[in-house]
Amino acid sequence: MASPTRQRERDPETTEQTEESERERVCDECDGGTLVKSEDQGELVCDQCGLIVEGTNIDHGPEWRAFNHSERQNKSRVGAPTTQTMHDKGLTTSIDWKNQDAYGRSISSDKRNQMRRLRKWQERIRTKDAGERNLQFALSETDRMASSLAIPRSVREVACVIYRRALDEDLIRGRSIEGVATSTLYAACRMEGIPRSLEEVAAVSRVERKEIGRTYRYVAQELNLEMEPVNPKKYVPRFCSELELSEEVQVKANEIIDVTTEKGLLSGKSPTGYAAAAIYAASLLCNEKKTQREVSDVAQVTEVTIRNRYQEQIEAMGIHE
């Protein structure tokens, strides 16, 4: 059934009138004290003798405090919080897909057909033009890919904000919606420090890796997104977990990355391949050997890349096979 997402808040003027009428009441015990409302307990108390006249009052006010009118207006709010992951920011009413009434009982066939028609028209009127329909499709694609990659909700919000900025700057024209949505999701992962490689993002996208990389560079340049180089150490915990390696291997892999990075070996190298090679070397040193094929499948890099990076790292570490 229709479930509005907004809730009404009590009118401040009505609340003030009620409080003023309570202050005018006089205590029946001492015949001189004025009844005041306790702010912390919601009780009606005499200010002279301390008699509690009413102790079961319901506090209809908000949970926040305001000390002036402007602060009260700024903090006033109703309904669920808005979200950037929906084209209408989650402000419209949604009709539940369950064919049940408020008591959980199944509705009749006539009501079921009526609710089906209402759902259909509800979906139609949520988007007023082609622009909103395209935005809805892009944000749904972003949410689908983020779910496949197990990306947190906060990063999805950042990705949707970047896409909206690209839409406002007219960067979508001449490019596919899926390509821009994928590139903004990858950019959000880079900005928030979530280790997701371009290959992993391309695996869940409907766009080729080359187009995603080209669109990502264009969007990042036009929107002046500050991107720091990806640290290979961020990939180590996830790769080791998927390979079922111990904590000792993770520590050794991070040590290899730190030492070899100081010697300048990371410059111009892929962070995923660099992390994969360090994990492979650490597994050999800790007697938890994994094959290059196993590591390459997890890191989604070629065995040749792991072999080349591995040779460079062990030479820099002064380790001889």
Side-chain angles (χ1 to χ4, degrees), residues 282-298:
S283 66
L284 296 179
L285 295 173
C286 298
N287 295 322
E288 298 183 32
K289 183 177 180 181
K290 295 291 181 180
T291 63
Q292 293 180 3
R293 171 63 63 85
E294 292 175 317
V295 179
S296 66
D297 289 341
V298 169

Side-chain angles (χ1 to χ4, degrees), residues 218-231:
Y218 173 74
V219 171
Q221 181 180 1
E222 292 296 323
L223 297 181
N224 296 322
L225 302 180
E226 297 181 0
M227 299 294 179
E228 295 182 357
V230 179
N231 191 343

Side-chain angles (χ1 to χ4, degrees), residues 2 8 29 45 59 90 94 114 154 170 180 206 256 266 301 305:
R8 296 182 180 274
E29 185 73 17
V45 185
D59 187 5
S94 60
Q114 180 184 6
S154 59
D170 199 20
V180 179
R206 299 188 176 98
I256 294 173
L266 180 58
V301 295
T305 301

Side-chain angles (χ1 to χ4, degrees), residues 60 97 103 105 117 141 144 146 173 183 207 221 239 247 260 279 293 295:
H60 295 278
W97 59 271
Y103 298 98
R105 297 174 298 198
R117 289 193 300 271
E141 275 293 292
R144 179 190 65 80
R173 188 182 301 275
S183 64
V207 185
Q221 181 180 1
F239 289 169
E247 185 72 22
T260 55
I279 292 172
R293 171 63 63 85
V295 179

Side-chain angles (χ1 to χ4, degrees), residues 7-24:
Q7 298 177 350
R8 296 182 180 274
E9 193 180 53
R10 187 172 179 179
D11 187 4
E13 295 182 359
T14 306
T15 306
E16 292 176 359
Q17 292 175 0
T18 305
E19 293 177 352
E20 186 177 353
S21 62
E22 289 174 349
R23 289 195 211 99
E24 294 175 354

Side-chain angles (χ1 to χ4, degrees), residues 86-313:
M86 301 178 68
H87 75 284
D88 54 6
K89 299 184 179 180
L91 297 176
T92 57
T93 302
S94 60
I95 301 178
D96 195 2
W97 59 271
K98 297 179 182 178
N99 292 318
Q100 297 176 348
D101 60 10
Y103 298 98
R105 297 174 298 198
S106 299
I107 59 178
S108 62
S109 58
D110 294 338
K111 286 290 184 182
R112 196 176 297 116
N113 293 332
Q114 180 184 6
M115 296 309 300
R116 189 180 299 114
R117 289 193 300 271
L118 287 174
R119 291 191 195 98
K120 182 189 298 182
W121 280 105
Q122 174 68 9
E123 288 299 320
R124 289 176 178 175
I125 65 176
R126 287 185 68 181
T127 53
K128 61 182 179 180
D129 52 25
E132 284 198 358
R133 284 194 295 272
N134 292 339
L135 179 60
Q136 183 182 27
F137 173 70
L139 298 183
S140 63
E141 275 293 292
T142 302
D143 192 64
R144 179 190 65 80
M145 292 184 291
S147 298
S148 301
L149 294 171
I151 293 175
R153 172 65 59 179
S154 59
V155 182
R156 302 184 194 187
E157 294 277 351
V158 174
C160 294
V161 170
I162 297 175
Y163 185 88
R164 290 176 184 270
R165 286 184 58 192
L167 186 63
D168 294 338
E169 296 291 334
D170 199 20
L171 304 182
I172 316 295
R173 188 182 301 275
R175 293 171 176 79
S176 66
I177 297 175
E178 297 94 330
V180 179
T182 309
S183 64
T184 54
L185 180 62
Y186 177 67
C189 292
R190 289 281 302 271
M191 294 176 64
E192 297 299 313
I194 302 297
R196 295 294 183 273
S197 64
L198 192 59
E199 289 77 11
E200 291 177 297
V201 176
V204 299
S205 176
R206 299 188 176 98
V207 185
E208 295 182 357
R209 179 186 180 278
K210 185 180 295 185
E211 182 181 349
I212 297 172
R214 188 188 310 117
T215 307
Y216 159 72
R217 288 189 293 270
Y218 173 74
V219 171
Q221 181 180 1
E222 292 296 323
L223 297 181
N224 296 322
L225 302 180
E226 297 181 0
M227 299 294 179
E228 295 182 357
V230 179
N231 191 343
K233 294 170 64 175
K234 292 185 177 181
Y235 292 99
V236 172
R238 183 158 58 91
F239 289 169
C240 287
S241 176
E242 295 182 15
L243 291 168
E244 298 181 352
L245 294 172
S246 64
E247 185 72 22
E248 182 184 1
V249 177
Q250 292 189 36
V251 174
K252 192 64 178 178
N254 289 330
E255 180 186 347
I256 294 173
I257 292 174
D258 289 335
V259 174
T260 55
T261 300
E262 290 179 359
K263 296 184 178 182
L265 295 183
L266 180 58
S267 179
K269 306 296 192 305
S270 169
T272 53
Y274 205 85
I279 292 172
Y280 174 69
S283 66
L284 296 179
L285 295 173
C286 298
N287 295 322
E288 298 183 32
K289 183 177 180 181
K290 295 291 181 180
T291 63
Q292 293 180 3
R293 171 63 63 85
E294 292 175 317
V295 179
S296 66
D297 289 341
V298 169
Q300 295 186 3
V301 295
T302 63
E303 296 178 46
V304 177
T305 301
I306 295 178
R307 196 152 45 242
N308 293 337
R309 299 292 88 77
Y310 165 72
Q311 292 293 339
E312 296 171 356
Q313 289 173 355

